[in-house]
C-alpha cells in the first residue's frame, strides 16, 4: 500500500515559482514511478512530469520542459516538483501519483498507469 500527501500549492503571479512536495508513505520497493499530474476545471487530467524512483530518470510534458523540475529525496521519501516561470495556464489542481512496482515499461503521462493518488494541491497563477 502506498499513501501520498501533496503540499506546497498556493497562489502566485505569473513568472513566479512554487515547489510542490509529495510525501510517499510506503516501503521504498512498493512503487517504481512517481508522477505529477494536473487537472484544470473542464479539462482532462494531464501528465506533467514523472520520475523512475530507482534509476532517477525523469520525464516532462513539452508544455513544462525547461520550467519544471522533478526530483526526489530518498532519505525523506519525498518527490518534489519545482515550478519556475509559472504561467496562468499552469493553474490547476496538482496531484502526485505512484505506480506499484511492475516488470514492464510505462506510459508515464497516462493516469491509468498509476494506482495510488494523493488528494491534490491547488496552484493558481494570476496574470
Amino acid at each position: 500500500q502506498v499513501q501520498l500527501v501533496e503540499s506546497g500549492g498556493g497562489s502566485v503571479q505569473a513568472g513566479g515559482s512554487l515547489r510542490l512536495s509529495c510525501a510517499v508513505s510506503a516501503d521504498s520497493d512498493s512503487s517504481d514511478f512517481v508522477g505529477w499530474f494536473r487537472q484544470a476545471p473542464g479539462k482532462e487530467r494531464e501528465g506533467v512530469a514523472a520520475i523512475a524512483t530507482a534509476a532517477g530518470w525523469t520525464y516532462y510534458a513539452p508544455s513544462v520542459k525547461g520550467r519544471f523540475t522533478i526530483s526526489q529525496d530518498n532519505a525523506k521519501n519525498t518527490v518534489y516538483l519545482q515550478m519556475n516561470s509559472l504561467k496562468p495556464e499552469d493553474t490547476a489542481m496538482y496531484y502526485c501519483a505512484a505506480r506499484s512496482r511492475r516488470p514492464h515499461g510505462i506510459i508515464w503521462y497516462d493516469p491509468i498507469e498509476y494506482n495510488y493518488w494523493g488528494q491534490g494541491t491547488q496552484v493558481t497563477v494570476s496574470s
Side-chain angles (χ1 to χ4, degrees), residues 33-35 37 50 97-99 106 108 110-117:
F33 276 85
V34 174
F37 289 77
R99 185 184 83 157
I106 186 173
W108 71 265
D110 190 344
I112 202 170
E113 293 273 6
Y114 299 81
N115 47 332
Y116 299 103
W117 291 85

Side-chain angles (χ1 to χ4, degrees), residues 25-86:
S25 176
D27 293 337
S28 60
D29 288 340
S30 297
S31 64
D32 59 1
F33 276 85
V34 174
W36 283 99
F37 289 77
R38 66 186 180 187
Q39 188 167 19
K43 294 189 176 181
E44 292 186 354
R45 190 166 297 191
E46 63 170 340
V48 175
I51 187 166
T53 54
W57 300 328
T58 57
Y59 308 84
Y60 297 95
S63 59
V64 307
K65 196 168 186 178
R67 299 189 297 123
F68 291 10
T69 302
I70 189 170
S71 63
Q72 61 182 349
D73 184 332
N74 292 329
K76 296 182 178 179
N77 285 339
T78 300
V79 174
Y80 301 100
L81 185 68
Q82 177 67 43
M83 305 186 295
N84 298 328
S85 302
L86 282 161

Side-chain angles (χ1 to χ4, degrees), residues 9-18 38 67-68 83-94 122-127:
S11 297
V12 65
Q13 289 191 327
S17 299
L18 284 172
R38 66 186 180 187
R67 299 189 297 123
F68 291 10
M83 305 186 295
N84 298 328
S85 302
L86 282 161
K87 304 175 181 180
E89 51 264 44
D90 294 318
T91 295
M93 184 71 77
Y94 282 70
Q122 178 68 37
V123 171
T124 302
V125 185
S126 58
S127 58

